[in-house]
Amino acid sequence: MPDLPRGVHGRPPTPAERWAAFRESPFLPATVLVLIIAAAAGLFAGSYTYAMANPTPHTIPSAVVGAYDGERGRRFITGMEQALDTSLRLHPYATRNAAKEAVDEQQVFAVLDVPSSGSPVTVDVSGASGATVAQVLAEAAVKVGTATGVPVVVRDLKPLQRGDPRGLAIFYISLAAVIIGFVGAIQLSVHARALDPLERIAVTAVYALLGGFAIAAVVDWLLGSVDLPFTESWLILALTMFTTGMVFTMFNTMMGRWAMLPTWGLMVLLGNPSSGGAVSWPLLPSPLGTVGRWLPPGASVNAQHTAVYFAGHQHAFPFLVLAGWAAVSVAVFWIWRRRHPGGRPAPAHAGS
């Protein structure tokens, strides 16, 4: 316990004097940290369990081709919606090739082709669009085909790579970039406090480039888990690391030693479960599926996923999200840089 004041003339200290002594001791921040860590443990477990423990589909965008509005097609689609306990958001296409293009653009997760004759209904899923969604759709299609008497053929248009059968490698490398990005900034604030603002931004950019290269090299060249489009994947990882590093630096400028709280909450408690990396967004609780795309972890997973599995169909949106967070963070840090706890003291004037 901290040394307590003796009070006036040796009397026992008053509650106000005890509180004043406690506030000046190291036990106040230690107590706050104990409570924060306990709460963070519960929130961490809760956020990941809520998002990932029991993924259920809400609305699954699906392409339909052929006689989908005929009696057989309606029977099969109704059976699918009942089996999935959700609705299929149907997008009609004139040709099968147009529907496959929609899969490449990640606008739909499956193609249901209903021939006008008695030929089997073809359900083309896309493992690369989301392994969990593809599995749910494939299992439901087989059961519904048996139950309704409609013959069904299930195929995978975009299978996952052999070294990544569950599609989690992209989530893991993005998770590494997110966490190491802001942990690097934390370490700079501890071990390189004297860096000036421009130097701090430059060092963050350098460790982001080197860290992104290391992640991609280990996963692709050393382990051979995923065949990455190396330069594109490297730069996505580097941008992710720089963004999360600067987000911590921004919060460190505004909140000092408590900057870890909003950074951890934004990136780990909210951002990673809602990123769509471990569980595809149609299976996430609706608010998470919407919010996740606007946060750095979700943007990183989105960009990386497209780079690996949908070459030639990359979108600008995830890069704009990452660049937007980075730009805002750098701007806030630069404008209020004098509030940042780091930096070198101004040199004394000669003769002072």
Side-chain angles (χ1 to χ4, degrees):
M1 288 294 293
D3 293 335
L4 296 176
R6 288 188 171 276
V8 180
H9 303 304
R11 63 169 172 75
T14 64
E17 291 169 337
R18 288 175 179 272
W19 172 245
F22 181 68
R23 287 178 58 187
E24 297 300 323
S25 76
F27 291 96
L28 176 59
T31 301
V32 173
L33 282 173
V34 165
L35 297 176
I36 289 173
I37 291 168
L43 289 171
F44 184 84
S47 65
Y48 279 70
T49 302
Y50 174 66
M52 302 180 185
N54 185 29
T56 54
H58 299 281
T59 302
I60 302 178
S62 305
V64 286
V65 180
Y68 64 92
D69 54 350
E71 187 277 331
R72 197 166 66 122
R74 291 197 303 269
R75 178 156 44 102
F76 180 76
I77 291 171
T78 300
M80 286 288 290
E81 292 182 331
Q82 291 174 346
L84 295 168
D85 193 23
T86 187
S87 62
L88 298 176
R89 189 187 303 162
L90 301 180
H91 299 268
Y93 288 90
T95 66
R96 189 179 184 82
N97 287 338
K100 289 181 178 179
E101 180 70 15
V103 172
D104 287 336
E105 289 291 334
Q106 300 177 74
Q107 297 170 350
V108 297
F109 282 77
V111 178
L112 280 64
D113 187 354
V114 185
S116 55
S117 63
S119 301
V121 171
T122 301
V123 178
D124 288 326
V125 298
S126 175
S129 300
T132 46
V133 175
Q135 180 180 355
V136 166
L137 286 171
E139 292 174 352
V142 172
K143 292 178 182 178
V144 170
T146 302
T148 59
V150 177
V152 177
V153 175
V154 178
R155 301 183 303 191
D156 193 342
L157 286 177
K158 289 280 184 178
L160 293 161
Q161 295 185 22
R162 181 176 299 178
D164 184 28
R166 299 193 62 81
L168 293 175
I170 290 174
F171 174 64
Y172 293 146
I173 65 175
S174 300
L175 178 65
V178 167
I179 292 180
I180 300 303
F182 69 74
V183 168
I186 293 171
Q187 293 304 304
L188 287 182
S189 70
V190 174
H191 300 292
R193 292 176 62 88
L195 288 173
D196 281 343
L198 191 58
E199 295 168 343
R200 189 172 300 275
I201 295 171
V203 171
T204 303
V206 170
Y207 80 61
L209 282 168
L210 292 177
F213 182 89
I215 294 171
V218 167
V219 171
D220 188 347
W221 298 346
L222 182 62
L223 299 178
S225 297
V226 184
D227 183 14
L228 299 174
F230 194 86
T231 301
E232 185 177 3
S233 290
W234 167 27
L235 295 179
I236 292 169
L237 292 167
L239 179 57
T240 302
M241 290 185 68
F242 178 76
T243 299
T244 59
M246 290 312 304
V247 166
F248 173 82
T249 304
M250 172 183 67
F251 285 131
N252 198 206
T253 303
M254 305 306 295
M255 302 181 65
R257 63 183 176 181
W258 301 110
M260 184 61 180
L261 293 180
T263 306
W264 181 264
L266 191 67
M267 299 298 171
V268 178
L269 294 184
L270 180 59
N272 284 325
S274 65
S275 67
V279 175
S280 299
W281 65 261
L283 303 185
L284 289 171
S286 296
L288 290 183
T290 301
V291 171
R293 304 177 204 189
W294 292 89
L295 298 177
S300 181
V301 167
N302 191 351
Q304 197 70 252
H305 179 255
T306 304
V308 174
Y309 286 109
F310 299 94
H313 298 272
Q314 186 62 268
H315 301 129
F317 178 73
F319 295 94
L320 293 175
V321 171
L322 288 170
W325 278 96
V328 169
S329 299
V330 170
V332 170
F333 167 55
W334 186 261
I335 292 169
W336 284 283
R337 58 191 179 275
R338 296 189 184 279
R339 295 183 52 176
H340 191 275
R344 290 188 286 276
H349 293 292
S352 60

